[in-house]
Amino acid sequence: MPSNTSHKPYRWIPSLYVAEALPYVAVMVMATTLYKRMELSNTELALYTSWLYLPWVIKPLWSPFLAALHTERWWVMAMQLLVGAGFAGIALTLPTAFWLQGSLAFFWLLAFASATHDIAADGLYIIGLDTSEQSLYIGVRSTFYRIGMILGQGALVMLAGRLEHYMAVPMAWSITFALMAACFLCLFLWHRYALPTVVPHTEGFSVRHLLSEFWLSLTTFFSKPHIVPALLFMLLFRFPEGQLVKIANPFIIDSVDNGGLGMDTEDVGFIYGTLGVIGLLGGGLIGGYLVSRDGLSRWLWPMVLAISVPDAVYVLLSAVSSHSFLLVSSCVLIEQIGYGFGFTAYSLFLVNFSKGERSTAIFSLCTAMQALGMMVPGMVAGYMADHLGYFRFFCWILACCLVTFAVTAFIKVDPSFGRKQ
């Protein structure tokens, strides 16, 4: 429990979860758009940015040790400074001759700081609030995380796109990342005042104890019933999406001569960062409501169809010769609504699989598998897009949806799971 009860949750939860979303979006989405505008090939940008998933894959390795070294509040503050330093480093290196090596190094710093910030922020939410407050603010937490996504994927990409009309691409993005660095300095200063001061954990945090706990969590995870189909589901359910997400933005930005849509950065920011996030959120809300009414097993296969079939819009866009802004926006909105609806099944499966002994540690391992399932397909997506061309690549993505169907067929879901009692 917080030792300083004067710090009200409404003062820090919204800003904390905006701060959690922004660096994640920068690493996973903005980096892809930036490198396409800097004229990297799809092969290079997909490989480089997919490796940035690694901190989220391996974060269960160090997450148990954070509280042993310092409080969650300290880690949040320290990581926000590191995130700000990462944004500043990207801003400083983009206009230089070594922009690729320099920006990648700072994106790696950003990725590790962001993954560590996630652990500390979620820990602070748990220990800084009592049970009733956790329930009360769960909606606030989710809403402001989505707002952070809209700011990163939408407003900031649109800002970079607008600046590109007046200056060179490297300088436009440098100013954008400098602004993000300034924002994180402000967030650090605000949280220094607003975050609750929590009583540090001191019991049971010897290295031997933590290693023992981690080993027990690992053995519990791999001893779960039906572990093989569950692992295949975690790793392969998003096999098409892991490839598509790395190429969708470059496809829209790439020139018409190269098979792309030839749209500018500002359009991409609006389409994916505003309409796309709204569609994703709307699909997720609909999925959550229907599962709470009827249970996950009732909606599992409709959700699999929803996350797979709308990928066909990219086949359509790559096949037709003329593209209006309305057509592209509508197609992306449809795909994102379907993805938000279908991803509900995946998220709830992880929750269901984690139930029981050591549920928190098991869920952390599940999310690591989720990140790995996005990282590996993304690494080869750019090579395939460059060698197949966009149309055949998107046809390949549709064929990969059969993998999603196959791994879903072997999982078992309790018919009552998810249904509101």
Side-chain angles (χ1 to χ4, degrees), residues 148-165:
M149 289 182 62
I150 292 173
L151 287 173
Q153 291 181 240
L156 289 165
V157 173
M158 290 172 70
L159 171 64
R162 177 56 61 93
L163 291 173
E164 286 176 6
H165 295 303

Side-chain angles (χ1 to χ4, degrees), residues 38-52:
M38 297 292 282
E39 300 184 352
L40 281 189
S41 69
N42 290 333
T43 301
E44 293 172 305
L45 71 86
L47 178 63
Y48 297 154
T49 60
S50 292
W51 271 112
L52 296 174

Side-chain angles (χ1 to χ4, degrees), residues 119-136:
I119 299 164
D122 292 342
L124 189 62
Y125 181 86
I126 292 169
I127 68 172
L129 303 177
D130 61 32
T131 305
S132 62
E133 288 174 326
Q134 289 175 25
S135 300
L136 178 63

Side-chain angles (χ1 to χ4, degrees), residues 24-42:
Y24 181 82
V25 168
V27 170
M28 296 302 170
V29 180
M30 293 180 68
T32 304
T33 306
L34 164 66
Y35 287 140
K36 189 63 182 179
R37 295 297 296 132
M38 297 292 282
E39 300 184 352
L40 281 189
S41 69
N42 290 333

Side-chain angles (χ1 to χ4, degrees), residues 293-360:
R293 189 187 69 182
D294 302 320
L296 177 58
S297 62
R298 165 66 179 80
W299 287 100
L300 179 60
W301 284 105
M303 287 177 171
V304 172
L305 286 168
I307 206 171
S308 302
V309 174
D311 290 347
V313 300
Y314 290 98
V315 177
L316 169 67
L317 290 173
S318 60
V320 299
S321 56
S322 60
H323 314 91
S324 67
F325 181 81
L326 179 61
L327 173 64
V328 177
S329 299
S330 300
C331 285
V332 170
L333 182 62
I334 290 168
E335 187 264 333
Q336 289 292 289
I337 291 172
Y339 181 74
F341 182 68
F343 187 66
T344 305
Y346 185 81
S347 299
L348 288 174
F349 176 82
L350 299 189
V351 172
N352 186 38
F353 184 81
S354 303
K355 289 194 305 182
E357 186 182 0
R358 304 180 180 276
S359 58
T360 302

Side-chain angles (χ1 to χ4, degrees), residues 152-410:
Q153 291 181 240
L156 289 165
V157 173
M158 290 172 70
L159 171 64
R162 177 56 61 93
L163 291 173
E164 286 176 6
H165 295 303
Y166 304 102
M167 59 189 71
V169 169
M171 186 56 65
W173 282 88
S174 178
I175 291 172
T176 303
F177 279 104
L179 177 62
M180 296 177 77
C183 286
F184 263 81
L185 177 60
C186 294
L187 284 166
F188 168 81
L189 294 173
W190 168 248
H191 289 148
R192 187 177 179 186
Y193 158 75
L195 290 183
T197 304
V198 295
V199 177
H201 305 286
T202 56
E203 318 83 35
F205 278 116
S206 69
V207 172
R208 175 180 289 185
H209 173 77
L210 290 171
L211 289 173
S212 174
E213 287 293 305
F214 179 75
W215 178 252
L216 285 172
S217 300
L218 207 59
T219 54
T220 302
F221 178 84
F222 285 103
S223 300
K224 284 269 191 177
H226 313 294
I227 182 61
V228 172
L231 268 178
L232 290 174
F233 184 83
M234 292 178 207
L235 292 170
L236 297 176
F237 183 82
R238 300 174 74 189
F239 183 65
E241 187 65 23
Q243 300 171 79
L244 180 63
V245 73
K246 290 298 174 186
I247 302 302
N249 279 16
F251 164 63
I252 291 179
I253 292 172
D254 215 345
S255 68
V256 175
D257 291 341
N258 290 334
L261 303 187
M263 304 185 81
D264 65 22
T265 308
E266 196 171 355
D267 290 335
V268 171
F270 180 77
I271 291 170
Y272 276 101
T274 305
L275 292 179
V277 173
I278 291 171
L280 191 69
L281 181 59
L285 290 173
I286 294 168
Y289 166 74
L290 292 175
V291 169
S292 70
R293 189 187 69 182
D294 302 320
L296 177 58
S297 62
R298 165 66 179 80
W299 287 100
L300 179 60
W301 284 105
M303 287 177 171
V304 172
L305 286 168
I307 206 171
S308 302
V309 174
D311 290 347
V313 300
Y314 290 98
V315 177
L316 169 67
L317 290 173
S318 60
V320 299
S321 56
S322 60
H323 314 91
S324 67
F325 181 81
L326 179 61
L327 173 64
V328 177
S329 299
S330 300
C331 285
V332 170
L333 182 62
I334 290 168
E335 187 264 333
Q336 289 292 289
I337 291 172
Y339 181 74
F341 182 68
F343 187 66
T344 305
Y346 185 81
S347 299
L348 288 174
F349 176 82
L350 299 189
V351 172
N352 186 38
F353 184 81
S354 303
K355 289 194 305 182
E357 186 182 0
R358 304 180 180 276
S359 58
T360 302
I362 298 301
F363 187 76
S364 178
L365 290 168
C366 288
T367 58
M369 295 299 159
Q370 173 186 342
L372 183 62
M374 292 292 285
M375 184 180 86
V376 176
M379 292 170 70
V380 300
Y383 176 84
M384 296 190 67
D386 282 341
H387 286 78
L388 292 175
Y390 286 118
F391 175 74
R392 285 186 290 178
F393 172 77
F394 291 129
C395 289
W396 160 253
I397 294 298
L398 275 184
C400 288
C401 292
L402 295 174
V403 175
T404 302
F405 281 79
V407 296
T408 304
F410 290 99

